[in-house]
Amino acid sequence: MEGKANLEAQIDQLFNIEKQMRLAGDVAGTKKAVTDILQLCFEAKDWKTLNEQIVNLSKKRGQLKQIYVEIERARLIKKLAKIKEEQGLIAEAADLMHEVAVETFGAMAKTEKIEFILEQVLLCLDRQDYVRAQILSRKISPRVFDADPSKEKKKPKEGDNVVEEAPADIPSLLELKRIYYELMIRYYSHNNDYLEICRCYKSIYEIPYIRENPDQWIPVLRKICWYLVLAPHDPMQASLLNSTLEDKNLSEIPNFRLLLKQLVTMEVILWTSLWNTYEKEFVNENSMLGGPLGPKAAEDLRQRIIEHNILVVSKYYSRITLTRLAELLCLSIQDAEKHLSDMVVSKALVAKIDRPKGLSQFCGS
């Protein structure tokens, strides 16, 4: 009891010092007082009092942010989540990580924040929680990856948050950029958003260390080409298609240059001929960087070729019989009408169908 009373007396003395330092805004003095209080409890092995004092100190009015241990807590939670993940407890690991909002931690290094949020996104994708994955991913602005790390930061003023150095195992900003876009590819793949997947690969392709190594950029450029072809026709797709065709690196994979060239040429593409030419390339994609194109990709590729052919027909005909349209598309009349109707609904083109006369009229052609 005497030891307990002595401990409390020493703590009370230090609390008076801590209050004076805190109200004066003395960071160094406050840190020392707080540390001494906790050190006393630790040396006395009074764990209950130690925990009580930690909570008590954190709730002091006007407490200086520099003494918070939010970063240490985040790192410990991340380690615990990793243990849960290795045990196969993905949901528990995700729930642990979601409790921490590192974007509010002023003293945490930018790369460590990004890496932590990416781990949160990864766990959401692993548990197929795509809504939360999207919400978390929006905490990272893609512009952050274009920042110049070589620019010197201003020296912090007394009382300002001092940003800690990121741990040695945190990846570089460019490596985090690659991880970010790979996770976003996983996100967009769950609903086959081909254009967004293509844009993600385009961002990976622009990373300097990727561009310097053909073994890395060739598989990525292949993916860009495939997803451009798989994406429905719209202004953004057309813009990316034309800019990709101007890429000199495309000459290293001539088959894909030819594939893209066919899509910007106003000529009907025979599906059987195209598939015979590219089926092997399509299958080989399984072993390429980024993996297979997805279970619906072959079906959607045929759909895009049909849409291309309808657009070509609309350029050369103002009116055409459904029978002739079906012949050009190598489809039945019912299928040709369905595909044409789908394109009108999606506003890819403007057309009218006169069923009694068996005619299709393209407006504005």
Side-chain angles (χ1 to χ4, degrees), residues 73-82 96-97 99-100:
R73 176 174 174 268
R75 289 169 181 169
L76 285 172
I77 287 177
K78 183 181 170 186
K79 288 180 180 179
L80 180 57
K82 202 68 180 174
L96 280 169
M97 292 288 282
E99 295 176 2
V100 187

Side-chain angles (χ1 to χ4, degrees), residues 69-205:
V69 288
E70 56 191 9
I71 296 177
E72 289 79 2
R73 176 174 174 268
R75 289 169 181 169
L76 285 172
I77 287 177
K78 183 181 170 186
K79 288 180 180 179
L80 180 57
K82 202 68 180 174
I83 293 170
K84 296 287 187 184
E85 186 181 358
E86 290 169 356
Q87 293 172 345
L89 304 173
I90 303 299
E92 289 186 26
D95 290 340
L96 280 169
M97 292 288 282
H98 294 159
E99 295 176 2
V100 187
V102 293
E103 65 275 11
T104 64
F105 295 0
M108 181 178 274
K110 178 171 65 176
T111 51
E112 188 174 2
K113 282 185 187 179
I114 295 171
E115 198 265 350
F116 195 98
I117 296 171
L118 292 179
E119 186 65 26
Q120 291 176 317
V121 174
L122 173 61
L123 288 169
C124 286
L125 293 174
D126 286 346
R127 72 186 298 190
Q128 299 184 348
D129 185 352
Y130 296 107
V131 174
R132 192 184 290 271
Q134 183 189 37
I135 293 170
L136 288 166
S137 69
R138 286 178 175 174
K139 293 181 178 181
I140 301 173
S141 169
R143 290 194 299 271
V144 76
F145 300 115
D146 299 324
D148 186 357
S150 63
K151 288 185 178 179
E152 292 185 6
K153 297 179 181 177
K154 293 180 180 178
K155 291 183 179 180
K157 298 176 183 177
E158 179 66 24
D160 285 351
N161 282 339
V162 178
V163 178
E164 292 190 10
E165 289 290 330
D169 61 342
I170 298 297
S172 66
L173 195 60
L174 288 178
E175 183 63 13
L176 289 170
K177 178 178 181 179
R178 181 187 62 79
I179 296 169
Y180 168 79
Y181 283 109
E182 286 179 352
L183 290 176
M184 295 313 297
I185 287 167
R186 278 188 62 185
Y187 168 74
Y188 289 119
S189 294
H190 91 278
N191 62 352
N192 297 313
D193 192 338
Y194 295 128
L195 186 59
E196 287 302 325
I197 295 172
C198 175
R199 293 177 67 187
C200 289
Y201 273 114
K202 193 84 171 174
S203 296
I204 293 174
Y205 180 68

Side-chain angles (χ1 to χ4, degrees), residues 20-21 24-25 29 32 43 57 62 74 97 105 135 160 208 212 219 227 233 242-243 245 255 289 297 299 312 327 365:
Q20 293 174 15
M21 297 297 105
K32 186 175 187 315
E43 290 175 355
L57 287 165
M97 292 288 282
F105 295 0
I135 293 170
D160 285 351
E212 292 167 2
Y227 285 111
H233 178 80
N242 288 315
S243 65
L245 272 169
N255 276 359
L289 183 71
E299 177 188 335
V312 170
E327 287 176 0
S365 55

Side-chain angles (χ1 to χ4, degrees), residues 226 275 278-286 293-294 297-298 301:
W226 278 122
W275 185 243
Y278 289 95
E279 183 179 9
K280 186 176 179 182
E281 297 283 11
F282 188 91
V283 173
N284 286 343
E285 211 61 40
N286 293 345
L293 300 172
L301 178 61

Side-chain angles (χ1 to χ4, degrees), residues 53-71:
Q53 296 309 326
I54 289 173
V55 174
N56 191 15
L57 287 165
S58 68
K59 292 181 177 179
K60 289 288 186 181
R61 180 173 61 86
Q63 186 58 273
L64 304 175
K65 291 183 179 180
Q66 287 84 347
I67 73 164
Y68 288 177
V69 288
E70 56 191 9
I71 296 177

Side-chain angles (χ1 to χ4, degrees), residues 328-361:
L328 290 171
L329 300 179
C330 300
L331 297 171
S332 66
I333 293 176
Q334 291 79 7
D335 285 343
E337 183 180 325
K338 178 184 180 303
H339 285 291
L340 177 58
S341 300
D342 289 343
M343 291 188 71
V344 171
V345 170
S346 66
K347 299 182 180 180
L349 55 76
V350 181
K352 296 178 181 178
I353 297 175
D354 188 335
R355 274 184 170 173
K357 293 182 180 180
L359 288 173
S360 173
Q361 179 177 343

